Amino acid sequence: MSSTQADSAKHAASPHWARSVGGAALWTLAQHGSFFACAWWVSWWAGAERFGAFGQGLALSAMLSAAITFRLEYAGQLERRQRRAAALFLLAQRSAWGICALLLAALAVVHQWVRVPLWLWASTLALAPQAATLVLASLCARGGDVVRAAALRSGPAIIMVVVLLLAWALGWRDGIEWSIPLSAWMGWMAARLLGLANNSGDDGVRRTDAKRVAAFHLPFVRAELPGFLLNVSANHGQVLLIGAMGGDAAAGTAALALRIAMLPTSLFGLALADRLRSRVVAQGAGTGLIALLRQAIKRMAALSLGAHVVAALLVPLLLPLVFPQQGAVLAQMVMWLLPLGMIRLVASPLAFMLPWRGWLGLSLLGQCLLFACALLSVVLVFPISGLIGVAIAYAISAAGVYLGYIVMAWAAARTDT
């Protein structure tokens, strides 16, 4: 049996609960519920300004931890041969630890001349274990176990709630920022000790020329990594840019608004992407691919419409009560961003189709456009119309790009078939 056939058989044989999008969504709900609990707690305990610093630390750690693996774990998910995939996962983990060490050394040098903010130290210390946990989650997702993958990703956020409560009980205010690396390290160690990650295939890796595998995937990395960096910069760099232009409080409000508006996508999008990607890779090119994608798009569209209608009804009622420190601007930002989230929930799980079919140039173009939408909506609109103007400009411009992703993913499938 070939490695591709073995992967297909493994995916088909995995228990139903492991492939349940609903089960993965529950773990993701726990992850984001933990974030909102931390946001409310920090805002109540230390105010909107301190929450802004905390939010920027979270944004930076999320942005860099997913980039310092050079997207090799993503290549591992798309790789059909098991031994090559195992080598890619191992290379991704080694890259994460090495890059994190270099960034910490660079911060130590910079600190000799310029005071490095506490949130920057804390977020950098969280990068390696957070990236390593994401690699383990990708390994599980490759096997079709989207529930375990979601559990791994949600672990640090759940632990963060406990760390912040202990920091408050001890009167340790710096624990607000230090909760970021503490929860990342504790989540990674718990995953290793509890055996939540499957065997990574290290025996196969030792028989594989790692340099040859890395060289073979270098064109993928060259095309995918810049696009991914642009994507995460659009999602999280926008918050950091608002912080640089408008202060910590504005950055915290923007981070909270984006997180709430994209909550349905966060709950279901990653699990849907993991499941769809594993099914498409197992299916391969053939007549069944179009039917598979057509069914997936219909289901995702129905799910997205229902979830965002419910969100639009709840936002004006709940947000002013739960987050009074951020004021009415938070609810207004979320309402403007919800239509974008509705389109994004359908588009995001399909984004892998372009690099999987080798349409790397179009994939990179889409990421460039999303980055431009996020950056220009802040640079051009924030000084004039503030946070509300940023939300409107970003929602209108980025919606067109995500619609383009849906069209191009469908075209890629049809062309290859």
Side-chain angles (χ1 to χ4, degrees):
M1 179 181 291
S2 68
S3 60
T4 302
Q5 291 172 325
D7 283 349
S8 301
K10 180 180 178 182
H11 177 265
S14 60
H16 175 72
W17 64 265
R19 294 179 280 113
S20 168
V21 172
L26 287 176
W27 275 109
T28 310
L29 179 62
Q31 176 185 357
H32 288 275
S34 299
F35 168 80
F36 293 127
C38 293
W40 176 82
W41 189 258
V42 172
S43 297
W44 173 82
W45 178 18
E49 193 80 15
R50 194 64 177 272
F51 168 71
F54 173 72
Q56 290 178 88
L58 289 177
L60 185 65
S61 64
M63 183 168 64
L64 292 183
S65 63
I68 60 176
T69 61
F70 294 101
R71 300 296 282 155
L72 291 170
E73 83 286 359
Y74 186 38
Q77 281 187 270
L78 301 180
E79 172 60 56
R80 296 192 180 192
R81 285 160 289 191
Q82 177 62 29
R83 198 168 67 174
R84 281 184 179 272
L88 289 166
F89 287 125
L90 187 62
L91 287 169
Q93 295 214 39
R94 290 175 178 173
S95 298
W97 293 103
I99 297 299
C100 182
L102 290 175
L103 290 175
L104 286 170
L107 276 186
V109 172
V110 172
H111 193 68
Q112 304 301 314
W113 292 278
V114 181
R115 180 183 174 275
V116 176
L118 179 58
W119 64 264
L120 186 54
W121 277 113
S123 60
T124 305
L125 283 168
L127 293 180
Q130 196 164 323
T133 302
L134 292 176
V135 173
L136 295 180
S138 296
L139 178 62
C140 293
R142 173 181 167 81
D145 194 344
V146 297
V147 175
R148 186 172 296 179
L152 285 164
R153 295 180 184 119
S154 65
I158 297 171
I159 294 171
M160 187 179 292
V161 177
V162 179
V163 174
L164 283 173
L165 286 174
L166 289 175
W168 172 78
L170 296 173
W172 182 35
R173 278 209 161 209
D174 286 349
I176 294 173
E177 287 83 3
W178 287 117
S179 67
I180 300 173
L182 285 174
S183 59
W185 280 95
M186 292 167 70
W188 176 74
M189 289 188 291
R192 301 296 298 184
L193 291 174
L194 297 176
L196 291 179
N198 297 326
N199 191 308
S200 62
D202 288 348
D203 292 339
V205 174
R206 284 194 290 270
R207 295 192 300 268
T208 301
D209 185 351
K211 290 183 179 179
R212 182 162 50 88
V213 171
F216 180 80
H217 285 84
L218 184 60
F220 176 89
V221 172
R222 277 202 305 251
E224 172 63 22
L225 183 60
F228 178 77
L229 289 173
L230 291 170
N231 186 30
V232 296
S233 296
N235 294 332
H236 301 291
Q238 193 176 36
V239 172
L240 300 174
L241 184 58
I242 290 174
M245 296 180 66
D248 289 344
T253 301
L256 197 54
L258 287 166
R259 183 71 70 106
I260 294 170
M262 301 304 157
L263 182 59
T265 303
S266 301
L267 287 178
F268 300 106
L270 197 53
L272 289 169
D274 285 340
R275 184 176 181 181
L276 181 61
R277 185 162 47 231
S278 62
R279 292 179 67 190
V280 166
V281 172
Q283 165 77 35
T287 56
L289 180 59
I290 294 297
L292 177 63
L293 284 182
R294 182 183 291 112
Q295 182 186 56
I297 291 173
K298 287 180 179 179
R299 290 180 175 179
M300 290 187 298
L303 174 64
S304 182
L305 179 61
H308 286 88
V309 167
V310 172
L313 294 174
L314 294 178
V315 162
L317 299 176
L318 295 181
L319 289 191
L321 298 176
V322 179
F323 296 104
Q325 293 86 356
Q326 279 73 22
V329 66
L330 175 62
Q332 294 178 45
M333 282 192 72
V334 172
M335 292 300 291
W336 280 108
L337 290 168
L338 280 177
L340 172 61
M342 184 169 62
I343 299 172
R344 187 179 178 185
L345 178 53
V346 181
S348 293
L350 298 171
F352 78 95
M353 284 294 300
L354 299 183
W356 188 62
R357 287 295 181 241
W359 293 21
L360 299 176
L362 283 173
S363 179
L364 181 58
L365 175 62
Q367 305 293 4
C368 289
L369 291 174
L370 286 175
F371 175 75
C373 292
L375 182 69
L376 294 177
S377 65
V378 177
V379 174
L380 299 180
V381 181
F382 182 73
I384 302 171
S385 303
L387 291 175
I388 303 298
V390 171
I392 296 172
Y394 182 51
I396 293 173
S397 57
V401 180
Y402 281 117
L403 287 172
Y405 263 107
I406 298 173
V407 173
M408 295 311 299
W410 182 258
R414 290 180 64 87
T415 300
D416 192 81
T417 301

